[in-house]
Amino acid sequence: MFEAKLANAGLLKKIVESIKDLVTDAPFDCSETSMSLQAMDSSHVAFVCLKLNARFFDTYRCDRPINLGLSLANMSKYLKQVSNDDTCMLKYDEKKSEQIGFIFDGRNSKETEWTLKLMNIDSVAWQIPNEEYSVVCEMPAAEFQKACKELTTFSDTMNIKATRTAITFTGKGDIGSSVVTYSPSSSTDDENDAISLEVKHPVNVNFSIKYMNQFTKATTLGDRVRLWLSNDAPGIVEYPIENNGFLKFHLAPQICDDDNLD
Amino acid sequence: MFEAKLANAGLLKKIVESIKDLVTDAPFDCSETSMSLQAMDSSHVAFVCLKLNARFFDTYRCDRPINLGLSLANMSKYLKQVSNDDTCMLKYDEKKSEQIGFIFDGRNSKETEWTLKLMNIDSVAWQIPNEEYSVVCEMPAAEFQKACKELTTFSDTMNIKATRTAITFTGKGDIGSSVVTYSPSSSTDDENDAISLEVKHPVNVNFSIKYMNQFTKATTLGDRVRLWLSNDAPGIVEYPIENNGFLKFHLAPQICDDDNLD
Amino acid sequence: MFEAKLANAGLLKKIVESIKDLVTDAPFDCSETSMSLQAMDSSHVAFVCLKLNARFFDTYRCDRPINLGLSLANMSKYLKQVSNDDTCMLKYDEKKSEQIGFIFDGRNSKETEWTLKLMNIDSVAWQIPNEEYSVVCEMPAAEFQKACKELTTFSDTMNIKATRTAITFTGKGDIGSSVVTYSPSSSTDDENDAISLEVKHPVNVNFSIKYMNQFTKATTLGDRVRLWLSNDAPGIVEYPIENNGFLKFHLAPQICDDDNLD
């Protein structure tokens, strides 16, 4: 028996929308302590890593480890019709092992029970190297999303340079270029506006803007984003989820012509 | 001479939008006491029945019965440009029998006169059987619209089951199913949220979701919807209009494979 | 050296959006006293005339006259990503004569520098005849935009008739017609709602609605629009910009079949 209850269905909707264009069919691993997902995107360029601790849920019960293969495409279609503030109970019963139930409770003496067929998806345990990152930058998620969009006009590649004094996002193309610079700040009125920058070694690294724009769909999940960067290693874009989980996107760097980006 | 004045053009717009995808060209019957429309949809599956009492209008004058054939498609295109809070006067003069005038009066010393060619549309007097219905359910129009949308994800057919204790909308498909249940309630804070259910005999009947979704475009007309249901008889979805009229959609039930829906 | 600073990027965005579908590549003339643009639309039917006085900018410096050829299509794409309330500095340095810089300063210790390649565009000095116009009508820009849209449903041609007592916009087509009449008013509560009409001689003149609809994209620039009309001369649709500039569209009249419009 697996049962987990969310205070509002809106959060489930946001998580599905953040991932569904990268991972169509997702193998969720449910254990006593957490519900998690690890999957490569369909082009094998990005790696998605979601973790929701038991405490993230209003109630959580998982008798023994199970793997639930869910079609995020179908979940997205259905969840679009659900009210954000309905509660949502996920329910899996070994006796009906081919399906999972979602029970939504809202106003108006209304109950919706939605049943979805489970899929067989091979779940692979990934070994993520416990790397030391040269740079960790934390900033408002909305600002990072805007920077990605601003660079999109001119370029397919985003160059990120980070030093102790600033982090710079650059997009260069034939018709023009765009350079967005943030200086770390801690003394803003609202701590959600602060930009922090921990730099062990300066980095200068390139990524596909297309993937970065995909990742920033998770901006709806919270106020902040964390970037983990090293030269010549995959970068991580991390969205914390209500202090009880996270959604991390790993992306391999692009090898670019230096002339083009210096 | 026919003259009828509406306090705001927005209401005319909503009525046209509710019908125009079912009935493109509509024969309106104007009498001393009301303006009404009865028409089959173009695929002859649904039957639309609109009635606006003379009292619905700010002023109303109809010297002798006339039939006005109007293109709802053209009306819709034009009304999109009109301010909702302009007053709207419909004016038909036998001396200019090929056209109808719409005079919109707004702010800013502005008057708009819009003239539309009338069409010859055969108007058939329908005999609607004065049937006794097994179930009458009244509920918030927005809730019924939501239930229809939620079922759309999985199925083309909506099954409705009603007993004394609950009304249940079910959609089943290959990838999953959705079951929405409402229990009657009268003691809500806001009477517009109440769900009432009068049951002479339980019903179990199937309809095309596509048509139900079409009908729910009339959700803009008011707060409430009334469902009239019997086994093996057309169902009615009724939207009251400001206590002085109604828009009713009649829909023949679908014959379904019972295995699929129980 | 040319440097001009705008208090908010939103205004630059609105100007570009108002023109970009008529003029793709625009030669801006910058002098000591103003920044201006004169260009025919690509089909050589309308003439666009923009003037921004030095006072329009927060700071303005232009050492010697220069011409900057800018792709409005590319500017539009980029500006869509910029926050309306960021300040925007335009910067051109003769030493880097092939490009112009836009520096956006916002919240959050963020600076964006955007560089755009300049284009070689032939700038022609137009001699606009200093004509006496028979009619000058000033009205709310939003009202003129609505009148244009209302006429679009039935017709491709807008007939404008103006007398001392009223200005009338008429669109006639096969399925119907639309007549919008404004009477001059000065005693409204809000002076932005007033309609003023100066008539030396009555006019009766026809224009392409398609172009009028294009011009009304400039409705975002301010509250008012001014129409300059004469029989048999190009009409002018003028949008004042914050008392320190204007955007004028000149449009040649259409020759129409009189029977059709009287």
Side-chain angles (χ1 to χ4, degrees), chain B residues 83 108 111 113-115 117, chain C residues 146 154 174 177 179 181 193:
Chain B
S83 287
N108 267 320
E111 195 195 79
E113 178 158 6
W114 169 45
T115 314
K117 290 244 165 78
Chain C
K146 262 192 68 185
F154 296 123
D174 292 339
S177 69
V179 182
T181 304
D193 284 349

Side-chain angles (χ1 to χ4, degrees), chain B residues 74 77-78 81-83 86 107-117, chain C residues 143 146 149-150 154 174-183 185 193 195:
Chain B
N74 286 334
K77 255 187 255 171
Y78 183 79
Q81 315 298 348
V82 169
S83 287
D86 283 6
R107 300 188 319 146
N108 267 320
S109 338
K110 178 196 176 191
E111 195 195 79
T112 301
E113 178 158 6
W114 169 45
T115 314
L116 186 68
K117 290 244 165 78
Chain C
E143 279 296 331
K146 262 192 68 185
K149 276 199 188 151
E150 284 179 22
F154 296 123
D174 292 339
I175 55 165
S177 69
S178 188
V179 182
V180 184
T181 304
Y182 292 97
S183 312
S185 65
D193 284 349
I195 292 166

Side-chain angles (χ1 to χ4, degrees), chain C residues 77-250:
Chain C
K77 256 188 253 170
Y78 183 80
L79 287 168
K80 284 215 176 79
Q81 316 297 348
V82 170
S83 287
N84 286 337
D85 46 3
D86 283 4
T87 64
C88 173
M89 166 80 91
L90 283 66
K91 205 167 185 170
Y92 169 80
D93 188 341
E94 280 85 357
K95 288 171 214 153
K96 291 184 174 183
S97 67
E98 79 293 352
Q99 66 178 41
I100 182 168
F102 297 78
I103 298 150
F104 300 91
D105 253 311
R107 298 187 323 146
N108 266 321
S109 338
K110 179 197 176 191
E111 195 197 78
T112 302
E113 178 158 4
W114 169 43
T115 313
L116 186 68
K117 290 244 167 77
L118 290 172
M119 312 172 74
N120 262 325
I121 307 170
D122 286 339
S123 176
V124 183
W126 296 85
Q127 208 56 33
I128 301 164
N130 208 337
E131 195 151 353
E132 280 258 309
Y133 280 86
S134 304
V135 170
V136 185
C137 174
E138 195 183 300
M139 62 190 296
E143 279 296 331
F144 178 64
Q145 185 177 39
K146 262 192 68 185
C148 291
K149 276 199 188 151
E150 284 179 22
L151 267 55
T152 307
T153 321
F154 296 123
S155 179
D156 299 327
T157 297
M158 164 189 273
N159 171 260
I160 308 182
K161 281 195 192 73
T163 63
R164 272 181 183 79
T165 53
I167 184 164
T168 302
F169 303 91
T170 304
K172 280 197 181 178
D174 292 339
I175 55 165
S177 69
S178 188
V179 182
V180 184
T181 304
Y182 292 97
S183 312
S185 65
S186 51
S187 60
T188 54
D189 291 344
D190 184 348
E191 66 175 21
N192 280 332
D193 284 349
I195 292 166
S196 75
L197 194 55
E198 289 169 35
V199 178
K200 290 202 188 95
H201 309 286
V203 300
N204 182 345
V205 63
N206 300 309
F207 295 105
S208 150
I209 290 184
K210 193 185 119 201
Y211 276 93
M212 287 293 184
N213 276 325
Q214 285 274 7
F215 302 162
T216 58
K217 289 185 183 165
T219 301
T220 56
L221 290 177
D223 293 318
R224 309 285 289 168
V225 68
R226 219 172 279 143
L227 307 178
W228 308 75
L229 304 166
S230 287
N231 288 330
D232 312 315
I236 299 177
V237 180
E238 175 190 2
Y239 293 90
I241 302 179
E242 292 190 354
N243 295 318
N244 277 314
F246 58 76
L247 176 56
K248 285 184 183 169
F249 300 98
H250 300 244

Side-chain angles (χ1 to χ4, degrees), chain A residues 3 13 26 48 84 87 93 111 136 143 162 191 201 220 234 260:
Chain A
E3 267 189 13
K13 205 187 282 195
V48 178
N84 286 337
T87 64
D93 189 342
E111 194 195 79
V136 184
E143 279 295 331
E191 66 175 22
H201 309 286
T220 56
N260 201 25

